[in-house]
């Protein structure tokens, strides 16, 4: 039984199909990197799992709990709100644009969701938040507002904020695309560390070297379908699909 | 000078009406304006349309007319018509009018917050109400402080319209003195009173802006 099961996902924006029958099955602790050109649907696919987009057709099951089902020719039917919320809380999501809350300090950014959403007491969440901030190397920045941080620091806070909710799956939507090149390393190292701790992760990225290094499996998406998937070495050294080959050539 | 000293406490008697009307209307129209803005942005089309119509009517007719209608016109409406006392009529018309203006200010503020803030809150599990209360509205307040200061000061001055309901605010008392004594210096005293009050308001808003300046966006 797979940990994440996304089957036959279809999604259109205003009649324009962005996901055409995309399926993904993952085991616990697996790290999948999704690569592909802009507009390929890879971010949309990730956002469907993070419930930021509603799918038109298909099935999503996470750890045995169904988020959405489709039977026959019917439309996708979502589970009740409580199940949706329960599954949402198992995901941590990190965005290209960080989406930190600018009116809160780093510390409050991390504490607010455990307090508000999980009803945790400050005394219970504070040690976890401290440990997470130390882990991403930003403990000394806890009283600073996000605007005072570099892009790389912001993204590391965003990762700590997501981890504070104790998710079992981390979703990364182009986590380094908004960063200056010299700042990507610090973020990638943090993600790498999570991979070593066997966090289940899906990473949408343009960082080919990083994807190759950190992922157990690479998925190459283009035109709303998975063109090719496999182990990093196979994909990068011996791509089967001409689309994959052309894309990888263009990235180098 | 003796004359000014004599009329000043008389005019000051009007401060009670001016300040209490101002305070009550502000306290009611601020949450009213936020609520109206949220309804104006509702996903339900009919709610949006009703709110747009409400804002259109309130901005499209003079506040004076609205006061007159609530006080003199309302009793003639079948079934719902009631004769309100002057203070209640004044408060209701001012709140309805100011909530409409504040609605547009808050709507602009809410729409200026990037979509990513909602998404960031959503994936952390925040409900709509939590997202609004903890994430969106606190940021909106910072952004709308300058236009909010404008409206607040406008409100203070607009309270003088209640003379039409024969309520003895600062300006109506002043006019009475001028007409009785054939001496316009009472107007200067009234002007100074308004300037002092707006000075206080300006400083309150400056303080708030400074407090919100602790973070950048």
């Amino acid at each position: 039984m797979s940990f994440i099961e996304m089957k036959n996902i279809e999604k259109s924006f205003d009649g324009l199909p962005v996901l055409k029958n995309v399926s993904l099955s993952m085991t616990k602790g697996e790290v999948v990197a999704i690569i592909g050109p802009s507009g390929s649907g890879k971010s949309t696919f990730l956002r469907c799992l993070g419930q930021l987009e509603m799918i038109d057709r298909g099935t999503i099951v996470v750890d045995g709990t169904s988020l959405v089902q489709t039977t026959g020719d019917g439309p996708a039917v979502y589970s009740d709100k409580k199940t949706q919320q329960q599954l949402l809380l198992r995901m941590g999501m990190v965005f290209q644009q960080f989406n930190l809350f600018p009116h809160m300090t780093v510390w409050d950014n991390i504490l607010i969701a455990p307090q508000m959403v999980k009803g945790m007491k400050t005394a219970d969440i504070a040690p976890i938040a401290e440990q997470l901030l130390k882990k991403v190397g930003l403990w000394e920045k806890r009283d600073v507002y996000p605007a005072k941080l570099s892009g790389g620091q912001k993204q590391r806070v965003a990762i700590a904020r997501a981890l504070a909710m104790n998710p079992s799956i981390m979703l990364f939507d182009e986590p380094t695309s908004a960063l200056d090149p010299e700042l990507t390393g610090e973020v990638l190292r943090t993600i790498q560390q999570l991979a070593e701790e066997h966090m289940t992760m899906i990473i949408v990225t343009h960082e080919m070297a990083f994807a190759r290094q950190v992922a157990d499996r690479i998925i190459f998406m283009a035109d709303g379908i998975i063109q090719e998937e496999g182990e990093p070495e196979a994909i990068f050294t011996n791509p089967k699909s001409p689309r994959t080959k052309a894309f990888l050539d263009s990235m180098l | 000078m003796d004359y000014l000293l004599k009329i000043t406490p008389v005019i000051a008697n009007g401060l009670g009406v001016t300040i209490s009307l101002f305070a009550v209307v502000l306290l009611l129209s601020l949450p009213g304006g936020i609520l109206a803005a949220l309804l104006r942005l509702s996903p339900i089309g009919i709610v949006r349309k009703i709110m747009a119509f409400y804002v259109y009517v309130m901005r499209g007719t003079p506040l004076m007319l609205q006061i007159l209608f609530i006080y003199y016109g309302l009793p003639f409406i079948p079934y719902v018509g009631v004769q309100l006392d002057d203070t209640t009529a004044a408060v209701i018309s001012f709140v309805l009018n100011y909530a409409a203006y504040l609605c547009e200010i808050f709507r602009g503020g809410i729409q200026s917050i990037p979509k990513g803030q909602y998404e960031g809150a959503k994936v952390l599990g925040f409900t709509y109400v939590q997202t609004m209360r903890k994430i969106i509205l606190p940021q909106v307040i910072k952004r709308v402080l300058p236009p909010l200061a404008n409206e607040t000061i406008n409100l203070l001055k607009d309270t003088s319209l209640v003379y039409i309901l024969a309520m003895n605010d600062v300006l109506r008392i002043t006019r009475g003195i001028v007409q009785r004594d054939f001496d316009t210096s009472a107007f200067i005293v009234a002007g100074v009173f308004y300037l002092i009050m707006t000075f206080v308001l300006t400083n309150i808003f400056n303080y708030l802006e400074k407090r919100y300046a602790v973070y950048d966006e």
Side-chain angles (χ1 to χ4, degrees):
Chain A
M1 180 94 188
S2 45
F3 190 54
I4 303 174
E5 189 73 57
M6 299 174 78
K7 271 205 304 232
N8 310 113
I9 307 294
E10 291 175 28
K11 169 81 187 166
S12 300
F13 288 118
D14 300 322
L16 189 79
V18 269
L19 296 176
K20 310 166 192 164
N21 201 7
V22 181
S23 297
L24 169 69
S25 177
M26 283 176 71
T27 55
K28 199 166 170 48
E30 194 179 4
V31 178
V32 167
I34 307 180
I35 60 171
S38 301
S40 59
K42 54 193 193 306
S43 281
T44 306
F45 185 64
L46 192 76
R47 290 165 59 85
C48 288
L49 187 55
Q51 296 183 42
L52 292 173
E53 307 288 354
M54 306 272 274
I55 62 171
D56 300 331
R57 289 179 53 73
T59 300
I60 301 177
V61 179
V62 177
D63 200 11
T65 307
S66 165
L67 171 66
V68 51
Q69 294 286 338
T70 303
T71 44
D73 291 335
V77 178
Y78 274 81
S79 301
D80 57 83
K81 290 270 177 239
K82 205 175 145 215
T83 310
Q84 289 181 31
Q85 176 79 355
Q86 183 197 330
L87 285 176
L88 191 59
L89 292 183
R90 302 203 56 180
M91 318 271 170
M93 187 150 178
V94 173
F95 302 87
Q96 183 178 346
Q97 296 300 336
F98 327 121
N99 296 343
L100 292 177
F101 306 131
H103 59 302
M104 297 178 188
T105 60
V106 165
W107 184 245
D108 288 335
N109 260 281
I110 292 174
L111 261 66
I112 180 102
Q115 287 172 333
M116 295 283 299
V117 178
K118 287 187 165 175
M120 288 177 78
K121 291 198 179 69
T122 308
D124 294 329
I125 184 63
I128 299 169
E130 177 177 345
Q131 183 208 333
L132 286 170
L133 273 178
K134 284 177 174 162
K135 179 174 177 170
V136 298
L138 290 169
W139 172 240
E140 70 284 1
K141 296 282 187 190
R142 60 191 176 277
D143 294 325
V144 166
Y145 285 90
K148 295 274 192 295
L149 300 174
S150 73
Q153 291 172 330
K154 281 181 195 168
Q155 197 59 297
R156 284 185 283 151
V157 172
I159 293 171
R161 182 177 73 169
L163 291 173
M165 291 296 277
N166 196 25
S168 41
I169 301 158
M170 283 291 284
L171 310 176
F172 292 89
D173 189 4
E174 301 195 26
T176 58
S177 296
L179 300 180
D180 293 333
E182 74 269 22
L183 298 176
T184 58
E186 57 191 77
V187 172
L188 296 181
R189 268 193 300 280
T190 306
I191 302 173
Q192 169 91 52
Q193 198 182 343
L194 288 175
E196 284 158 10
E197 294 164 10
H198 305 293
M199 173 67 84
T200 310
M201 297 197 281
I202 306 179
I203 308 163
V204 170
T205 185
H206 290 293
E207 298 281 336
M208 293 304 135
F210 174 68
R212 183 174 187 166
Q213 180 198 344
V214 78
D216 301 311
R217 181 161 39 129
I218 304 280
I219 290 179
F220 172 68
M221 271 181 84
D223 303 327
I225 57 172
I226 293 178
Q227 306 279 349
E228 184 167 357
E229 63 181 302
E231 286 183 10
E233 285 313 304
I235 296 276
F236 282 102
T237 54
N238 189 20
K240 300 271 184 301
S241 146
R243 282 298 300 268
T244 317
K245 194 173 179 325
F247 173 74
L248 290 175
D249 286 345
S250 75
M251 292 302 286
L252 299 172
Chain B
M1 194 63 200
D2 277 353
Y3 177 69
L4 289 183
L5 285 177
K6 208 179 84 202
I7 59 169
T8 299
V10 183
I11 294 174
N13 279 333
L15 286 175
V17 169
T18 298
I19 292 175
S20 55
L21 181 63
F22 165 79
V24 169
V25 170
L26 189 64
L27 246 55
L28 292 176
S29 58
L30 276 176
I34 292 175
L35 184 67
L38 293 175
L39 292 174
R40 184 100 165 71
L41 296 168
S42 158
I44 305 158
I46 183 76
V47 174
R48 278 201 310 273
K49 286 208 176 77
I50 291 171
M51 293 316 292
F53 182 73
Y54 156 71
V55 169
Y56 171 65
V57 171
M58 288 298 146
R59 288 198 307 191
T61 55
L63 175 52
M64 174 79 88
L65 178 68
Q66 293 161 18
I67 298 170
L68 291 172
F69 178 79
I70 298 272
Y71 189 71
Y72 294 109
L74 213 53
F76 293 106
I77 295 181
Y79 305 114
V80 291
V82 279
Q83 176 66 62
L84 301 167
D85 66 84
D86 49 7
T87 309
T88 314
V91 167
I92 290 178
S93 35
F94 269 90
V95 168
L96 283 176
N97 181 279
Y98 268 82
Y101 279 95
L102 295 179
C103 166
E104 288 302 278
I105 290 177
F106 284 117
R107 177 174 70 93
I110 291 169
Q111 286 179 319
S112 75
I113 303 294
K115 205 175 100 216
Q117 291 291 305
Y118 293 90
E119 296 191 341
K122 156 94 184 177
V123 296
L124 288 169
F126 283 76
T127 63
Y128 171 78
V129 173
Q130 288 172 332
T131 305
M132 281 300 164
R133 206 161 67 84
K134 289 286 177 182
I135 309 300
I136 306 299
L137 289 178
Q139 296 184 60
V140 168
I141 302 290
K142 177 186 167 103
R143 292 184 183 202
V144 302
L145 273 177
L148 214 54
N150 265 343
E151 285 305 316
T152 307
I153 289 169
N154 273 339
L155 170 63
L156 179 75
K157 295 179 298 180
D158 274 354
T159 54
S160 62
L161 289 174
V162 296
Y163 81 86
I164 199 76
L165 300 182
M167 288 169 69
N168 280 319
D169 75 315
V170 169
L171 199 58
R172 184 164 188 271
I173 291 175
T174 307
R175 275 159 49 106
I177 293 171
V178 169
Q179 284 161 0
R180 184 192 67 198
D181 298 346
F182 294 108
D183 186 332
T184 52
S185 45
F187 282 142
I188 296 169
V189 177
V192 170
F193 271 125
Y194 280 106
L195 282 174
I196 292 170
M197 289 187 283
T198 47
F199 178 78
V200 172
L201 288 179
T202 307
N203 275 294
I204 290 173
F205 274 97
N206 284 345
Y207 165 76
L208 287 175
E209 283 194 33
K210 222 177 267 168
R211 239 192 61 182
Y212 273 98
V214 295
Y215 76 87
D216 297 314
E217 312 230 354

